[in-house]
Amino acid sequence: MSRGVRSRRVRQAVSALVVACVLVATGCSEANRPAAPTSTASPSAAAPPTAEGLAPRPLATDPARLADDLATDERTLRDPATPDAVLSAAAHRQQAAYRLLGRHPEWDAIARPRIPPDLLAVYDHNIDARRQLAAMARPRATLPAWRIVAPRPADELMGYYREAEAAFGVSWNVLAAINFVETAFGRVAGVSTAGAQGPMQFMPSTFAAYGAGGDILAPRDAIMAAGRYLSANGFARDRDHALYRYNNSLQYVRAINDYAAVLAADPAGLRGYHRWGVYVNTTAGDVLLPDDYAATAPIPVEDYLARVTKASSAVRLSPTSAAILDSALTVARDTSGANPAERSERLSRQFLGTPYGADTLVGSATVPEQLVAELERVDCFTLADYVEALKRSTSRDQFVNALIRVRYKDNAVGFATRKHFFTDWAAAAPAIATDITATLSPDAVEVTKHLNRKDAGGVYLPGLPVVSRTVAYLPSAAVDDDVVKQLRTGDYVGAYAEDGGLDVTHVGIYVAGPNGPVLRNASSLKANEKVVDSPLSDYLRTVPGIVVLRPVQ
């Protein structure tokens, strides 16, 4: 199922209970900014913009604009005339852009051709490094017991790298890459989960052997120790082997080599890296630790976000929707200790009778995305959005933060990052739900879909890439009593789409009702035009099959 602007029925045979949540993009161009070009030609190598033109520019979420802006920022960071404040703004966008692009290989075909040839190697190394490092770590549920401190000036660090290179034959750029990856040039002050310490993250026993009596926390002593260690492990003969001894991961070795290659090609690249912040990959998505972050013990990420993020001002919320939200949050607080099935049923029950409403979300390839919470009327997917966000909330701010995580990838409100397809909830990290379809019956069928590409030609949502994904569905005829017994209240049931460009055409919430199982769903039928409970057996007779996602909480 895709969602974006206007609903239409895709399959005439899907009647009675199936509300078509398939969407076709519409909308007008932005008033103050031209639409992103559709060609794959690289932008021209224009001079970097002035401070007035660059500093206020926010990070794009559209892959084409993201690539164009990234190219501008790369040039800005390499221009010796760029003011310091502009350098910092460009570096922060550069880092966020590489993290965002690194998480979306499906955007490669859009973004990479837009990078100018002279920046392509830099781009490729940064993207590869990001993906290698991301593959090394699982999202964490807590933020670490760290302090974020100002790193030593880049020129000072460069002196230490050069000194170690002269003494031990270890390339300065490799030492810089290690310092960068390990602690963001010393920004991270804290002990790793393994017990490593200092700006080069040495185990105390290893530093005792290679630190020459220095201070494990002192940048110069730590960098010199890294030079000794790598030299002793045969850096001159086999650089990769020495790096592997430093951190036993081939992905780590590849990432270090990527960043080192960027610095070797142009030492000015250090100007950007040195300004990068500290992100933590969490179960709630990327969290950027502020410069004054300090924790003496791990902090649950949800608690941290609830405490520091004031997000309610960023959402479009009418007074009526706000009143509905406050009422639902009372239920969320009252059921905070209940089991997941009871919470889902109680929270979704608040929407029974809510009028059906399409086109409530705002955004397209040419219209800026807005964060919308319109609880006065819902369609099949926004109903699911709001229930899932409420399950993670006890306050308005928590609800808004949770809605962003449920509806968008990477905590980034944007048309390109919106989870347009039902199975995005399971495919995008961190997952909102787990696809359990194939586990329900041996009769489940797997189909390769090219999401967003219409079988009849063209795309459903212009400006978005086509994503290949294997989708499992269970034919309706195979949904017998044994299957139904495995379903739980709160599971999301989608109507399988026969068109290869969609995963499902409608979504509802499974509820084990007192009179038998029902699908709680937003129905656009004239007889309903509201959220209703439809008998599951009736629903199954109108659809070719189902896709079932089980929420993770």
Side-chain angles (χ1 to χ4, degrees):
M1 178 185 72
S2 69
R3 52 177 176 165
V5 260
R6 180 171 301 164
S7 330
R8 72 174 178 86
R9 196 173 297 277
V10 171
R11 181 173 174 274
Q12 293 300 324
V14 178
S15 58
L17 302 171
V18 179
V19 181
C21 285
V22 180
L23 304 167
V24 178
T26 62
C28 56
S29 299
E30 296 181 44
N32 299 317
R33 185 175 184 180
T38 57
S39 73
T40 57
S42 299
S44 61
T50 62
E52 293 90 338
L54 180 68
R57 177 164 46 81
L59 181 73
T61 55
D62 164 315
R65 287 180 181 155
L66 196 62
D68 292 350
D69 290 350
L70 178 59
T72 298
D73 287 332
E74 287 284 6
R75 296 202 189 287
T76 298
L77 289 164
R78 286 161 172 74
D79 183 354
T82 302
D84 190 72
V86 179
L87 282 173
S88 295
H92 295 160
R93 279 192 304 272
Q94 176 200 37
Q95 180 184 16
Y98 279 127
R99 291 188 74 87
L100 190 54
L101 289 163
R103 277 192 297 275
H104 291 283
E106 73 274 15
W107 288 358
D108 288 352
I110 297 173
R112 190 176 184 276
R114 305 188 69 83
I115 302 298
D118 62 311
L119 293 174
L120 200 53
V122 170
Y123 175 88
D124 286 342
H125 283 306
N126 276 291
I127 292 293
D128 185 65
R130 182 65 247 144
R131 289 174 181 170
Q132 298 303 318
L133 293 173
M136 290 178 62
R138 294 179 180 176
R140 53 197 299 169
T142 60
L143 295 178
W146 290 345
R147 285 185 305 116
I148 302 302
V149 300
R152 301 305 302 163
D155 289 345
E156 177 183 330
L157 293 174
M158 179 65 87
Y160 301 150
Y161 304 143
R162 293 290 192 186
E163 183 181 357
E165 179 181 51
F168 308 113
V170 176
S171 308
W172 76 267
N173 51 310
V174 172
L175 293 165
I178 293 172
N179 195 192
F180 176 42
V181 168
E182 294 290 352
T183 63
F185 300 106
R187 262 193 172 79
V188 174
V191 179
S192 77
T193 54
Q197 300 178 30
M200 299 298 276
Q201 287 291 279
F202 271 104
M203 296 297 290
S205 58
T206 307
F207 189 82
Y210 294 93
D215 181 354
I216 196 171
L217 303 179
R220 179 189 176 278
D221 294 348
I223 291 166
M224 295 297 284
R228 288 189 194 92
Y229 182 83
L230 291 168
S231 178
N233 280 279
F235 183 89
R237 298 186 305 275
D238 189 339
R239 167 170 152 169
D240 286 357
H241 169 75
L243 289 173
Y244 186 83
R245 292 297 303 274
Y246 203 97
N247 189 321
N248 295 345
S249 166
L250 293 176
Q251 292 158 326
Y252 177 87
V253 172
R254 187 159 155 180
I256 294 297
N257 281 329
D258 278 326
Y259 287 132
V262 172
L263 295 173
D266 187 354
L270 188 63
R271 303 175 80 196
Y273 291 158
H274 189 262
R275 289 169 168 81
W276 282 19
V278 177
Y279 282 89
V280 179
N281 178 21
T282 78
T283 52
D286 269 0
V287 174
L288 175 63
L289 302 185
D291 290 344
D292 61 353
Y293 177 86
T296 56
I299 305 172
V301 65
E302 297 287 352
D303 292 352
Y304 176 82
L305 291 175
R307 186 170 73 241
V308 305
T309 307
K310 189 75 174 175
S312 58
S313 61
V315 68
R316 201 174 82 172
L317 185 70
S318 70
T320 301
S321 287
I324 295 169
L325 174 58
D326 288 343
S327 177
L329 285 168
T330 299
V331 176
R333 289 189 289 270
D334 291 344
T335 60
S336 60
N339 64 57
E342 182 181 349
R343 289 204 83 204
S344 180
E345 195 284 322
R346 288 278 305 277
L347 289 167
S348 60
R349 191 194 311 166
Q350 305 309 303
F351 291 92
L352 281 173
T354 298
Y356 175 85
D359 305 339
T360 60
L361 301 188
V362 176
S364 71
T366 57
V367 175
E369 186 80 7
Q370 295 182 35
L371 178 60
V372 173
E374 187 169 335
L375 284 74
E376 303 165 60
R377 56 193 185 110
V378 296
D379 63 22
C380 61
F381 214 121
T382 57
L383 170 64
D385 277 351
Y386 299 142
V387 170
E388 274 302 302
L390 283 165
K391 286 163 62 177
R392 295 161 163 77
S393 312
T394 57
S395 68
R396 282 196 195 181
D397 284 336
Q398 284 185 334
F399 172 80
V400 174
N401 286 325
L403 181 61
I404 292 171
R405 296 197 297 276
V406 167
R407 184 177 289 167
Y408 298 97
K409 303 170 187 175
D410 311 311
N411 283 345
V413 177
F415 180 68
T417 52
R418 196 194 302 170
K419 296 171 185 174
H420 292 276
F421 297 92
F422 180 50
T423 51
D424 284 344
W425 272 18
I432 301 300
T434 302
D435 191 334
I436 64 167
T437 311
T439 70
L440 296 173
S441 168
D443 295 322
V445 179
E446 291 190 345
V447 177
T448 299
K449 295 276 191 174
H450 301 288
L451 300 178
N452 200 36
R453 180 188 296 161
K454 297 179 182 180
D455 285 347
V459 296
Y460 283 101
L461 295 167
L464 293 182
V466 172
V467 177
S468 295
R469 180 176 299 161
T470 299
V471 174
Y473 77 97
L474 191 59
S476 292
V479 183
D480 54 20
D481 289 344
D482 288 338
V483 170
V484 174
K485 287 176 183 176
Q486 297 177 69
L487 299 179
R488 300 176 187 169
T489 293
D491 287 345
Y492 293 95
V493 179
Y496 174 73
E498 293 179 317
D499 189 294
L502 301 169
D503 47 12
V504 302
T505 56
H506 185 60
V507 168
I509 303 170
Y510 175 83
V511 176
N515 298 316
V518 299
L519 192 76
R520 187 162 289 166
N521 67 107
S523 170
S524 66
L525 295 172
K526 289 191 179 298
N528 296 320
E529 294 187 334
K530 62 185 177 182
V531 177
V532 297
D533 283 345
S534 304
L536 182 65
S537 58
D538 292 348
Y539 177 77
L540 290 171
R541 283 196 290 270
T542 67
V543 299
I546 59 172
V547 178
V548 183
L549 301 187
R550 177 158 292 162
V552 298
Q553 67 179 64

